[in-house]
Amino acid sequence: MTSDSINSPRLPALPAQSISHDVLMEKYVQRDEHCIDDIHQRVARALAQAERPGHREIWASRFLQALQDGFVPAGRIQSAAGTTLAATLINCFVQPVGDSITGNDEGYPGIYVALAEAAETMRRGGGVGYDFSRIRPHGAWVAGTRSSASGPVPFMRVFDCSCRTVESAGARRGAQMGVLRCDHPDIEDFIAAKDHGELTNFNLSVGLTDAFMQAVCDDRHIELVHRAEPGPRIRTDAQHQRGDGLWVYGVQPARALWERIMQSAYAHSEPGALFLDRINTDNNLSYCETIAATNPCGEQPLPPYGCCCLGSIDLTRFVKNPFEPSARFDEEGFSRLAGLAVRMLDNVLDITAWPLERQRQEALDKRRIGLGFTGLGDALVMLNLRYDAHEGRDAARRIAQALRDAAYAVSCELARERGAFPRFDADLYLSRNTFSSRLPEAQKARIRADGVRNSHLLSIAPTGTISLAFSDNVSNGIEPAYAWRFARRKRLPDGGTEEYIVEDHALRLYRQRMGAEAPLGPAFVSALEMSALAHVKMVAAVAPYIDAGISKTVNVPADCAYEDFKDLYMQAWQLGLKGLTTYRPNASTGAVLEARSRPSCSGCAAPVPSA
């Protein structure tokens, strides 16, 4: 299954960049390891332990080849598989949060029980996403007391403090996602939660419904609702109980709230947008779960206690004759590797440590995995295709389709060998306008005959650190290259930072093959040299082939006008996406990356602005 190297046999391998070496040594190597191949051997042996005795050495050899050929498991797997660390191999989870303080709220753990569960999850190395919408709004009546509720945002501060305090296994900083529905009475407090530098250990996203989005389009009002009864101190004539049991706390013009969301996203890059109805309609398991939140980076919409078992394939490894007129993508080699990667991620679910028993039960009932890719931007450059052009999007679409077809085919083979996931029901799984209902007919027939091992198989995650450490800084996930040469600040263990000059992998390979003075062609277009809409259109091209989600950040320059920014989330909803985030450097967000002088580039725009 080995693919030919993309490097000419006459040229030496690219020397490691200093930041790639330092990140590898700091985050991934274990005792007595010194290089990537040492990590590969440890990970391959660990994942092979899920295979039958007597076959493990064979599978360990195949898994090692897969890692050498460009499969890049997520950071938790790279750092902890095959070690004695008390760490999970799962990057992220979603944890439920109820409305009571310590008891159960219709099966949801009380707030401080949820806090303890999240702390244990982060201590074991997992990031956590939460939907805080069940917490009653500020001022609502608390039955059996003389007090009124604090609302979600004050409790989020407690979770933020806990995340900052807990040291995770493997020295990983805690990561959290906080979600609140757009119709929660405290939604404006949530949107403003980061206005003064708070909640630094959270990403924030608003859970947007189709009803709300349509109300924005139609310039109508929306009701702000919750199931908790308003207290006497805040009761108004507008408040009443609806037929569905929810209490109406007030009404608001949808466009006014929408404007508040977009102004906040423009000012400090949050909140992001999650389109809840699209997420749940598309969900293969909508017959047995409802999703209200995602993992911290947004690529995995998950039910309570759900997890994301992630890995990515480096697309640049499958570009033949890069930068030449004869450049092509090796779809056959890519599909073979994708199939083996599915088996490896399925094995992760059986060998990992689980922070909580509920997480283990949820994972083994549904066996979600998230195979994706990294290096899309660089691969398109190597194929002489612009990321922001129709031809580039069409190539990405074909790659995503090949990934889908290979992944589902192997998951069916695994179901025949190991059994389908326990919650599998063929009739329900293949109906109701879900992602799986739109699979090719031959694939659906196979699923009916053999079952499928994994309820979900595909997710495109951000891969900044693993792409930097294991793939010579290829462009991150689905993103285009941020810049061809830039300064990157890396956080040090003592809390300080160190600045590195980093070059993009495609540029380094181009210079090696074409010479230091060769002008760059028009395919060398970076994130800030294309329109924001071009970023959104790339997600729309790939999304129909990805069953879970895609983490995509639309990078916009600091001097982008608000008028050119304010419609991005609306465009994403109209294109059928599940979510989107933006990043515009400013005084409050700062900048981890700063573009430096751009190499000469024929046929491209002006130099990249500093970020």
Side-chain angles (χ1 to χ4, degrees), residues 530-554:
M530 63 185 72
S531 71
L533 183 57
H535 288 264
V536 177
K537 285 183 175 180
M538 178 58 81
V539 184
V542 171
Y545 305 98
I546 303 299
D547 58 17
I550 300 171
S551 178
K552 178 72 178 82
T553 299
V554 176

Side-chain angles (χ1 to χ4, degrees), residues 479-513:
E479 308 287 354
Y482 176 79
W484 307 112
R485 187 171 186 268
F486 54 89
R488 180 176 180 131
R489 287 186 287 277
K490 183 172 80 71
R491 189 187 302 269
L492 300 176
D494 63 5
T497 60
E498 184 173 355
E499 183 172 288
Y500 293 80
I501 301 300
V502 188
E503 288 190 325
D504 177 80
H505 172 73
L507 175 68
R508 280 163 52 81
L509 186 64
Y510 184 83
R511 291 299 186 211
Q512 184 195 50
R513 295 179 70 92

Side-chain angles (χ1 to χ4, degrees), residues 421-436:
F421 68 91
R423 299 298 293 271
F424 175 69
D425 180 304
D427 289 337
L428 295 174
Y429 189 79
L430 295 172
S431 62
R432 299 161 301 103
N433 199 35
T434 61
F435 179 92
S436 48

